[in-house]
Structures are given as C-alpha cells and as structure tokens.
Amino acid sequence: MDSLFRGTLWTILILFTLPHLACNMLCPGSCLCNFKGAVKCVGDAITDIPQNLPVHTYLLQLNGTQMNIINEQSLAKQYLLLRFSLTYSHLHAIHPNAFHVARQLKSVKLSSNDLSAISARVFSPLATLEQLHLDGNQMETIAPDMFEGLVSLLDLDLSRNKLTSPASDVFDGLTKLTFLNLGRNSINKLPPTIFHSLTNLLQLMIYNNELEELEAGIFDKLVNLVELKIHHNQITILPPQVFWSLNNLKTLTLSSNRLQAIPEKTFYNMPKLTKLTIYNNPLLSLPDQLMGHMPDMTDLYLYATNLATVPGNVFANMSGLLRLNFHLNDKLRELPSDLFCCLPKLEKLSLKSNDLLYLHPQLFSGLTTLGILLLNDNKRYFLVKFSFEGS
Ligand SMILES: *[C@@H]1O[C@H](CO)[C@@H](O)[C@H](O)[C@H]1NC(C)=O
Ligand SMILES: *[C@@H]1O[C@H](CO)[C@@H](O)[C@H](O)[C@H]1NC(C)=O
C-alpha cells in the first residue's frame, strides 16, 4: 500500500517535471527555447535547421546563420511548426520540394538574404500560408506561377529586391491578399491588369521604384484599398480617373514624382482620405476641379512645386483642414483672394519661402480659428493691412 502510494507520487512528480527538463535539455546549441515552443537560433555555427528541436516547436526564428540552402529535408518532422523565419543568412537556394514536408506553415519569412532565383511553385504546397516575406533579396524576376496555390495568403512582402517589370499574372488568384509591398525595387513598368485579382487588398506599396507612368485602369479592382503609396517614382502623367475606384482610400502618397500637371477631378470619390501627398513634383498648374469632398483631411503639404498660382477653390473641399503647409514654392507669386474661403477649422497656415508679391487684404478674412500664420522669407511681398473676421 505504502510503496504503491510512493510509486504514484514519483510518477506524478516525474510527469510534472519532465517537460521542463526536456525543454532545457533538448534546446540545441546556439538556440534559446521557451516552454511555449518558440525557438530562436543565432550565429555562424548554424548551417541547417537544428535536428533536436523541442517536439512542440511552433515558432522557429533563425537569424545571422550560415544556413545558405533550405534542403529537401531541412523542415522535415517539424509537424507542429507554424511560423518559420530564416533571415540575414546569405540564403541563396531553396530545394524545389523544401516545403512539401511542412505544408502546415502559416508564416515564412526569408528576409535579408541572397535569393536571386526561386524555382516556380516552390511555395505552392503551402495552401494555408498567410504570410510570405521575401524582402531584402536579389530577385530580378518572379516566375509567373511562383505564388500559385497560395490561396490563404494575406501578406506578401517583395520590397528591397531588384524587380523591374513583373508579369501581369503573378498575383492572379491571391484573392485574400490584404497587404502587398513592392517598394524599393527597380520597377519601371506595371501591366494594367496586374492587381485585378486583389479585390481584398487594403495596403499597396509601390514607393521608391522607377515607374514613369501608371496604366489606365490599374487600380480599378482595388475597391477595398485603404493605403496606396506611390511616392518616389518618376511618374510624369496620371491617366484621368485612375484613382476613381478607390472609395475607401485613406492614404495616397504621390510626392517626389515628376508630375507637371494633374488631370481634372483626379482626387474625386475619396471621401475618407486623411492623407494626400503631392509635394516635390514640378507642378506647373492645377486644374479648376481637382479635390473632391474630403472632410477628414487635416494636414496638407504642398511645397517644392513650380506653381505660380493655384485655382481659388483648390482647398475648398477640405473643410476639416487644421494645418496647411503651402510653402517653399520658388515661383509662387499670386494667391486668389478666395483661396482660404472654406477652411473654418484651420489653425496653422504656412506661406513662408514662396515668392509672393501681393496679398489681397481679404485673403485671410475667413480664417477665424487661425493661431499660426507664417509669411517669412517671401522676397518680394510688401506688407498690407489684413482683416481677420472677428478680430
Ligand atoms: C538579425 O541579424 C541582423 C544582422 O546581424 C540584426 O541587425 C537584426 O537585428 C537581427 N534581428 C533579430 C530579430 O534578431
Ligand atoms: C467638391 O466636391 C464635390 C463632390 O465630390 C464636387 O462635386 C465639387 O465639384 C468639388 N469642388 C471642387 C472645387 O472641385
């Protein structure tokens, strides 16, 4: 009786202690393992995925290793692994069948490596994959069926590569995708239908590329898009109505391009817009109708352009504007007298470092809530008496 009881006690004790012991004992060298199954391995000593990982490993992060190749069996037997990352490791090859043994993966991050060619369909077994990061590699092209089969993919990062002209069907079938980053590549051409499958996309990054134009209709299917970043390209013209399907857009960046003109009504049908950047473009003029109703816009920066003047109603639809930074425009000489007619909430207005010559006495008369007005460094302008309503 007594010995049976003692035996049971020992069994209980061992059962409770074992996982902790096992966890500490089985964590491979160069790795840190936590009891929940997260394993992080760092350093040159690692040349392949450590063999004796804890059985319940669900997260494996390898960083700064010498693992240059993912072999056919590297990921074998990691039945519970859901998130795998191998970064800063000069990875240059992936066996075509490397992911056949790890079909359950939800996240694969291979950022900051030396991948230049990835065999087509290498990721295709990963039907439940939600996140794929290939940013910071050397890819110049993407095989047309590279992402085929990734029906669950939500997040795809291809930034910081050497892509020049992705094919029109590379993203076909990625209907669940919500985030796509193509920024910091050398893209000079995007086919008009390239994004047409991406009806659930929320964020699209194309900044820091070499685009000279946007094709008509390119964003037409992105009806859910919230953020579109196209700054730092070489875009000279925009097709009319190119953004007209983007009724949910909150952020649009077009700054640092080569726009000299913008077509009429370009920013219509974006009632939720809160951020629009068009500064640092050699704009010569703006059309009489440009901005649609955008009551949530609070800050606008319009500087480093070649504008000599602007239409009197250009800000009229931005009724919620709090801060307007309309400065550093070398050639800006004249402002229409009704320019600030419809900005009842404006708190800060900067007109500094323009080339203003004359300001209409009624120019600021509607700005009843203005707290800061900057007019310094306008070489030519001479002071006139302004009237501020209610003051
Ligand atoms: C990975 O390694 C790189 C370079 O050695 C380092 O800059 C980075 O912070 C590391 N990242 C993580 C998550 O440890
Ligand atoms: C202001 O927006 C409305 C609706 O979007 C539009 O009809 C009107 O023409 C716009 N005004 C200007 C000056 O663009």
Side-chain angles (χ1 to χ4, degrees):
M1 207 52 185
D2 200 33
S3 74
L4 181 65
F5 174 71
R6 210 179 293 156
T8 315
L9 203 66
W10 271 114
T11 314
I12 292 171
L13 209 66
I14 286 168
L15 278 177
F16 272 95
T17 331
L18 199 61
H20 297 276
L21 275 178
C23 181
N24 288 331
M25 281 163 54
L26 291 183
C27 192
S30 306
C31 301
L32 286 171
C33 306
N34 84 1
F35 69 94
K36 288 182 190 158
V39 179
K40 192 169 181 174
C41 310
V42 180
D44 287 351
I46 294 165
T47 55
D48 201 346
I49 290 176
Q51 283 311 294
N52 47 346
L53 291 171
V55 284
H56 61 305
T57 301
Y58 78 94
L59 166 70
L60 176 59
Q61 293 174 300
L62 309 177
N63 191 38
T65 72
Q66 288 290 330
M67 180 167 167
N68 311 143
I69 297 176
I70 305 178
N71 285 309
E72 191 169 12
Q73 293 301 315
S74 293
L75 288 159
K77 302 202 192 87
Q78 301 303 327
Y79 305 111
L80 300 177
L81 190 63
L82 294 178
R83 312 183 73 83
F84 170 59
S85 79
L86 171 59
T87 49
Y88 290 95
S89 294
H90 299 289
L91 175 71
H92 59 78
I94 305 175
H95 188 282
N97 296 333
F99 292 103
H100 282 242
V101 293
R103 292 169 186 267
Q104 76 286 357
L105 284 170
K106 287 201 177 303
S107 166
V108 172
K109 296 186 186 175
L110 304 174
S111 314
S112 301
N113 282 300
D114 295 336
L115 292 168
S116 54
I118 299 181
S119 43
R121 303 185 54 79
V122 69
F123 302 113
S124 295
L126 305 175
T128 56
L129 194 72
E130 293 174 357
Q131 183 174 53
L132 178 58
H133 285 190
L134 296 169
D135 54 301
N137 278 284
Q138 307 287 327
M139 292 188 294
E140 289 174 19
T141 56
I142 308 173
D145 40 4
M146 167 103 110
F147 305 121
E148 208 175 292
L150 301 184
V151 293
S152 305
L153 200 63
L154 301 174
D155 169 357
L156 177 58
D157 193 343
L158 295 168
S159 64
R160 300 186 297 125
N161 275 283
K162 295 180 172 171
L163 302 174
T164 53
S165 52
S168 64
D169 53 357
V170 276
F171 305 125
D172 280 9
L174 302 182
T175 51
K176 288 197 173 165
L177 204 67
T178 58
F179 176 88
L180 175 59
N181 194 343
L182 294 169
R184 298 189 196 281
N185 277 281
S186 305
I187 298 174
N188 53 46
K189 201 163 172 48
L190 286 172
T193 56
I194 187 165
F195 303 127
H196 279 196
S197 273
L198 310 181
T199 50
N200 284 302
L201 203 65
L202 301 176
Q203 291 167 285
L204 176 57
M205 312 293 162
I206 323 180
Y207 55 78
N208 288 74
N209 276 291
E210 291 162 21
L211 285 173
E212 288 175 16
E213 59 177 346
L214 293 174
E215 301 274 355
I218 188 165
F219 304 127
D220 279 6
K221 300 289 162 67
L222 306 181
V223 293
N224 289 300
L225 204 67
V226 171
E227 191 170 331
L228 176 57
K229 295 195 166 178
I230 339 178
H231 59 270
H232 265 287
N233 275 281
Q234 289 154 28
I235 301 172
T236 52
I237 48 166
L238 296 173
Q241 307 179 5
V242 68
F243 306 122
W244 273 30
S245 298
L246 310 179
N247 302 327
N248 287 300
L249 208 63
K250 289 189 178 171
T251 298
L252 173 58
T253 65
L254 281 167
S255 43
S256 303
N257 274 289
R258 297 194 180 161
L259 295 168
Q260 293 194 331
I262 300 179
E264 206 182 45
K265 302 186 181 175
T266 289
F267 307 117
Y268 272 35
N269 305 327
M270 293 182 218
K272 297 181 185 169
L273 209 63
T274 60
K275 179 172 179 164
L276 171 65
T277 71
I278 47 180
Y279 58 80
N280 203 21
N281 274 291
L283 294 166
L284 292 171
S285 67
L286 295 177
D288 279 339
Q289 291 180 303
L290 181 62
M291 308 286 180
H293 189 52
M294 43 181 86
D296 297 337
M297 181 78 65
T298 56
D299 292 81
L300 185 71
Y301 289 80
L302 188 52
Y303 63 87
T305 71
N306 290 334
L307 292 168
T309 187
V310 288
N313 59 15
V314 69
F315 307 123
N317 263 334
M318 300 181 171
S319 52
L321 213 58
L322 300 177
R323 290 162 291 264
L324 174 55
N325 295 289
F326 188 19
H327 51 213
L328 293 155
N329 295 287
D330 289 350
K331 307 204 167 64
L332 189 69
R333 281 254 189 134
E334 269 185 62
L335 301 177
S337 63
D338 54 348
L339 185 60
F340 307 120
C341 65
C342 313
L343 304 174
K345 296 181 180 167
L346 200 69
E347 292 167 2
K348 179 190 166 190
L349 173 59
S350 174
L351 295 170
K352 70 180 180 191
S353 307
N354 290 311
D355 195 25
L356 296 170
L357 190 55
Y358 167 76
L359 297 177
H360 192 281
Q362 293 300 314
L363 183 64
F364 306 119
S365 64
L367 300 176
T368 52
T369 55
L370 198 66
I372 301 174
L373 173 62
L374 303 175
L375 277 167
N376 50 302
D377 296 325
N378 279 281
K379 278 160 258 131
R380 301 161 186 263
Y381 108 102
F382 56 90
L383 208 59
V384 288
K385 197 163 173 271
F386 300 111
S387 107
F388 292 85
E389 207 170 84
S391 65

